[in-house]
Amino acid sequence: MSFTLPPFKVVDTAASLVNPYVHRTPVVTSTALNAKAETSIFFKCENFQKMGAFKMRGAIHAILQLSEAEKQAGVVTHSSGNFAQALSLAARNLGVPAYIVMPENAPTVKKEAVKGYGGIITICKSTLAAREEAAVKIQDETGATFVHPSNDLNVILGQGTAAVELLQDHPNLDVILTPIGGGGLIAGTALAAHYLGKNCTTIGSEPITADDAYRSLKSGTIQTNDEVNTIADGLRTQLGDQNFPIIKQLVSEIIRVEESEIIEATRLIWERMKIIVEPSSAVPYAALLAKKGRFRDKKVGIIISGGNVDLQNLPF
Amino acid sequence: MSFTLPPFKVVDTAASLVNPYVHRTPVVTSTALNAKAETSIFFKCENFQKMGAFKMRGAIHAILQLSEAEKQAGVVTHSSGNFAQALSLAARNLGVPAYIVMPENAPTVKKEAVKGYGGIITICKSTLAAREEAAVKIQDETGATFVHPSNDLNVILGQGTAAVELLQDHPNLDVILTPIGGGGLIAGTALAAHYLGKNCTTIGSEPITADDAYRSLKSGTIQTNDEVNTIADGLRTQLGDQNFPIIKQLVSEIIRVEESEIIEATRLIWERMKIIVEPSSAVPYAALLAKKGRFRDKKVGIIISGGNVDLQNLPF
């Protein structure tokens, strides 16, 4: 089956559309982290993005595609993570109602965050079937448009705008690394690198305990995770049929890392860069450490995907 | 007894001297933290400074004042905190030996950090008398120059260069807040605000459990702390005769905060700004929260003094 990549124009347009609604996050470097990984890294800090993660970009871009009538009816998603907050805040900023289906066991702090951003929460049982059923019911009742956190081309294009900005600031990157959860970030990033980079490749990184993307890329068909037991809680989700064809065509490699490597990379970023990143966001740097020296003399971009960590128990 | 402020020229020169050896740290803002404190805040992020704190500035400036012969003989200080690391790194960058006296109960992680920056460590008993004795012995043996972490005019002028940069970026600040430990940062900041601000006042902030500066400013003579039991471990030290006259003349007020307010302010900065700051660095923001609304319609600068927190127990 042949697949045609989304054209340059939509990648380029996404960046202009999203721009007024997001922070242009800084790109930072660290001598200490470069030395440890024996390469030269440019961190695109989406942990400083609105609501603390790149997901704001995809949510904004998806809502901007809707007609006025669709906007009035609202958007709906099911998520217990960052996308619930992203869709709520993006919708509020665009004057659109956002219906969020959350499992009953979602942490109170996440429910409060969604409420704080104006999301209208529906609680359901914590199975995928129950979530999907609740979302369909809301669609039927309100006419709201369903927005998937990662398996939606407009979300993918929105997520790619972080890499567009990174390449505008640093056009000569040789490679960009991202974590892989649902696959939206890496698919969008790969499109940006393909069209805007100068021979810039895209490499994924994944916990070895949730390596569905690694196995999918190897086998050529979407694989699933049996169990997902990783500290990188943003990466427990699955690839989908909208992002996998892009990943298959444009992502050259996926590097897998151990849990201990993720923890070590997170600690190093916190300690040396003095920034708060989610464990999921440390996976690309963990991959560089695992392949130390392989990227010597390369310019490496990393998308720091987010900084939403539960800080109830501060380490002091 | 009359006291003459250091003139504009030395404040201005300090900034040019220190500039090549330090990061020009970013000034960042946060809509969420502004809303909570009901004012408009510009955070000068010295947690992103080399070795993670503003103290690098004072150390560099003090060493740069030495003659070639003095540089060759080296510098010595006693400290278990950030200044030990700052003097070690500054000295290494300037090709000067640094002798650091540390108490035997100093945390291993701090000793390792000093060693990592090339400091030559002497361990002594953990009393002030033992520390001073050890430092004098090193001076006698090596001819090294003693550099006090805060009560030294050249250190004070160096610390003030953070505020010089802040005012270069934001010339219309109405007030700058800093924490007060030994008094070097606030004295240097007050000089910068005095000479470079437009009617910019300087306000100190202190834990109520270590409020020697508050009581000193009130009484007009240097007061001591009986006990210092605060989470803001950088602020347990005392004012000195070099910085107090500057503070007395230029600091309009010192705001005291409770421990619970410091913890809350630290958590807010970590959570909303996604940056790692020491509890000491959150004291000025805690002061704004304690006086909520008092700085409405003002532009407030805050020096985020450092980000060196023990991250052995990450909160995830």
Side-chain angles (χ1 to χ4, degrees), chain A residues 47-48 52 117 231 266-267 270-276 279 307-316, chain B residues 47-48 52 117 231 263 266-267 270-276 279 307-316:
Chain A
N47 54 329
F48 297 145
Y117 291 132
I231 193 174
T266 308
R267 195 180 58 74
W270 285 43
E271 259 183 25
R272 309 309 295 252
M273 295 179 72
K274 311 297 181 192
I275 64 174
I276 291 179
N308 290 333
V309 175
D310 187 352
L311 293 173
Q312 294 303 302
N313 302 302
L314 279 179
F316 54 79
Chain B
N47 53 328
F48 297 145
Y117 291 131
I231 193 173
I263 293 168
T266 307
R267 194 181 58 76
W270 286 43
E271 260 183 23
R272 308 311 294 251
M273 296 181 71
K274 312 295 180 193
I275 63 175
I276 291 180
N308 290 334
V309 176
D310 186 352
L311 294 173
Q312 294 302 303
N313 302 302
L314 278 182
F316 55 78

Side-chain angles (χ1 to χ4, degrees), chain B:
Chain B
M1 208 170 68
S2 90
F3 169 76
T4 307
L5 286 178
F8 167 69
K9 195 178 159 25
V10 298
V11 173
D12 191 47
T13 304
S16 325
L17 283 174
V18 167
N19 177 281
Y21 300 98
V22 299
H23 291 313
R24 183 163 188 125
T25 52
V27 177
V28 305
T29 61
S30 161
T31 313
L33 294 195
N34 283 348
K36 273 207 180 281
E38 298 178 9
T39 184
S40 180
I41 310 168
F42 299 82
F43 293 95
K44 174 70 171 170
C45 288
E46 289 293 301
N47 53 328
F48 297 145
Q49 189 50 266
K50 289 183 185 181
M51 56 65 57
F54 72 94
K55 301 227 167 183
M56 184 65 183
R57 296 173 180 273
I60 283 281
H61 190 249
I63 298 174
L64 286 174
Q65 306 303 314
L66 301 179
S67 69
E68 276 313 309
E70 285 170 327
K71 281 182 187 162
Q72 234 170 332
V75 287
V76 54
T77 197
H78 53 79
S79 160
S80 58
N82 281 331
F83 195 71
Q85 296 176 45
L87 196 69
S88 301
L89 181 58
R92 188 174 71 183
N93 290 354
L94 294 166
V96 169
Y99 303 95
I100 311 293
V101 177
M102 299 187 84
E104 56 194 1
N105 61 352
T108 308
V109 58
K110 299 221 166 177
K111 290 181 203 157
E112 290 302 322
V114 166
K115 260 189 235 166
Y117 291 131
I120 304 152
I121 299 179
T122 301
I123 299 292
C124 71
K125 288 224 159 61
S126 76
T127 64
L128 184 60
R131 288 180 183 206
E132 287 176 347
E133 197 185 307
V136 167
K137 196 165 161 241
I138 291 167
Q139 284 177 268
D140 289 347
E141 286 171 8
T142 63
T145 303
F146 182 75
V147 184
H148 191 280
S150 55
N151 199 38
D152 174 313
L153 185 58
N154 286 315
V155 171
I156 292 167
L157 290 167
Q159 317 301 32
T161 61
V164 171
E165 290 177 8
L166 175 58
L167 285 161
Q168 284 168 347
D169 291 353
H170 298 278
N172 294 315
L173 294 180
D174 297 298
V175 54
I176 301 180
L177 273 83
T178 78
I180 307 186
L185 177 63
I186 193 158
T189 300
L191 285 168
H194 176 65
Y195 287 121
L196 297 160
K198 298 174 183 159
N199 292 315
C200 177
T201 56
T202 302
I203 293 181
S205 55
E206 230 178 13
I208 213 158
T209 58
D211 67 346
D212 59 305
Y214 173 85
R215 288 180 284 108
S216 301
L217 196 60
K218 250 195 148 147
S219 68
T221 55
I222 296 177
Q223 304 293 308
T224 57
N225 295 309
D226 288 339
E227 262 184 73
V228 281
N229 188 15
T230 174
I231 193 173
D233 54 357
L235 310 185
R236 291 176 188 154
T237 44
Q238 297 273 153
L239 296 186
D241 61 353
Q242 296 294 301
N243 51 54
F244 184 56
I246 300 171
I247 293 167
K248 215 158 85 170
Q249 194 156 332
L250 297 181
V251 173
S252 61
E253 179 183 0
I254 293 170
I255 298 170
R256 297 178 301 167
V257 293
E258 304 281 356
E259 289 300 296
S260 61
E261 294 173 319
I262 299 172
I263 293 168
E264 172 68 4
T266 307
R267 194 181 58 76
L268 281 169
I269 293 173
W270 286 43
E271 260 183 23
R272 308 311 294 251
M273 296 181 71
K274 312 295 180 193
I275 63 175
I276 291 180
V277 303
E278 302 175 15
S280 303
S281 300
V283 170
Y285 184 63
L288 291 185
L289 289 180
K291 305 285 179 191
K292 191 187 276 196
R294 204 188 109 188
F295 296 94
R296 213 188 305 271
D297 306 323
K298 301 281 185 203
K299 285 188 201 309
V300 180
I302 282 183
I303 312 284
I304 294 284
S305 48
N308 290 334
V309 176
D310 186 352
L311 294 173
Q312 294 302 303
N313 302 302
L314 278 182
F316 55 78

Side-chain angles (χ1 to χ4, degrees), chain A residues 139-171:
Chain A
Q139 284 177 266
D140 289 345
E141 285 172 8
T142 63
T145 303
F146 182 75
V147 184
H148 191 280
S150 56
N151 198 37
D152 175 312
L153 183 60
N154 286 314
V155 170
I156 291 166
L157 290 167
Q159 316 303 30
T161 62
V164 172
E165 290 178 9
L166 174 58
L167 284 162
Q168 284 169 348
D169 292 354
H170 298 278

